Amino acid sequence: MYPYAIIGDIGLYEIFLALGILTAFIVYRFTADKLHMSARLFNFTLICAVCAITVGIFSSIFVQALYNIEERGAFIIDKETGATFAGGLIGGAAAFLAIYFIFGKKADKAYISKTSLIADCAACAIPAAHALGRIGCLMAGCCYGHKTDSFIGIYMQNLGYKVVPTQLFEAIFLAALAVFNIIFLIKHKKYTMCIYLASYGVWRFFIEFIRADDRGTSFLPFLTPSQIIAVLFVIGSVVLFLIQRCVYAKRAAQND
């Protein structure tokens, strides 16, 4: 909607990304406090998160460059490359877990048993940040839907016509998911990462059908790379749920 720089090279896209990251830290702090996470563990996971965000930025660009190979004819990273959320999330999560499991014992001797707690708090922060990021996409004119003359269409300056505002739809969905997860976590203190992975996986799979920007190609010609990742998210949510359920059942038996 407004893909122009405001201050130097900074536009609304970068501003909303920054607001998203800030919101993620606020939500994570709020949920961590509600679940009585120790200050030492919180501070350590905050360091892990900063490192993960840094790695995630690079991995999001790297994966997008892979998506762009068919369109651009080569693996190219420049100002036109762009970024993809799934690539950033996977790279960032991998970096977070690597740092956490290598150095976590120094922060908390029971760090392994606290993994679910941290993941569930993160499941509230991630969609909150992503929702604002999608507003940034709307402002930048990327991640758009099919051309339309419908009343729901939004005019894109960079395209010169109205499109289905998939960015806005996703922002609303993610904001609602973040609110739901926060409430659910405070009440039940578990399973929000499973809810996030399953919910976003299903949402992303189906919204891909109305996206019109270049989606890249995969080894399955009828699915985009993001749809394959979405399927893996859903599978991962089921596996994680089964693992968490077993852990909680053992803890309940020990308490009895």
Side-chain angles (χ1 to χ4, degrees), residues 94-252:
F96 185 99
L97 292 173
I99 297 170
Y100 182 79
F101 283 109
I102 292 172
F103 301 106
K105 192 173 183 179
K106 296 181 180 180
D108 192 313
K109 291 183 179 179
Y111 72 103
I112 293 179
S113 65
K114 303 288 179 65
T115 306
S116 292
L117 166 67
I118 294 165
D120 287 333
C121 290
C124 300
I126 293 171
H130 195 184
L132 286 168
R134 279 299 183 222
I135 297 297
C137 293
L138 178 65
M139 296 302 162
C142 61
C143 307
Y144 51 86
H146 290 296
K147 184 178 181 179
T148 182
D149 291 323
S150 169
F151 71 94
I152 66 171
I154 292 181
Y155 183 80
M156 290 287 126
Q157 292 279 359
N158 56 315
L159 299 176
Y161 52 82
K162 291 170 64 177
V163 299
V164 177
T166 51
Q167 317 96 318
L168 180 59
F169 297 159
E170 188 158 335
I172 294 171
F173 168 79
L174 288 165
L177 178 58
V179 171
F180 176 86
N181 270 2
I182 291 170
I183 296 172
F184 188 91
L185 183 60
I186 291 173
K187 288 185 175 181
H188 302 284
K189 297 180 172 55
K190 55 186 177 181
Y191 296 135
T192 49
M193 181 55 79
C194 301
I195 294 170
Y196 166 71
L197 290 173
S199 300
Y200 185 66
V202 171
W203 169 269
R204 186 59 185 267
F205 183 89
F206 287 105
I207 201 170
E208 285 288 298
F209 289 114
I210 58 173
R211 287 273 292 268
D213 56 325
D214 181 58
R215 311 305 307 126
T217 58
S218 70
F219 62 93
L220 296 175
F222 53 90
L223 294 178
T224 68
S226 292
Q227 286 177 314
I228 292 175
I229 293 173
V231 171
L232 294 177
F233 273 23
V234 175
I235 294 172
S237 71
V238 175
V239 173
L240 181 59
F241 172 77
L242 294 175
I243 292 172
Q244 286 188 319
R245 189 174 68 169
C246 289
V247 170
Y248 294 139
K250 288 181 179 179
R251 288 179 185 174

Side-chain angles (χ1 to χ4, degrees), residues 69-85:
I69 289 177
E70 182 179 11
E71 180 185 17
R72 306 186 71 180
F75 179 85
I76 302 171
I77 294 180
D78 55 21
K79 291 183 178 180
E80 305 300 322
T81 300
T84 177
F85 171 76

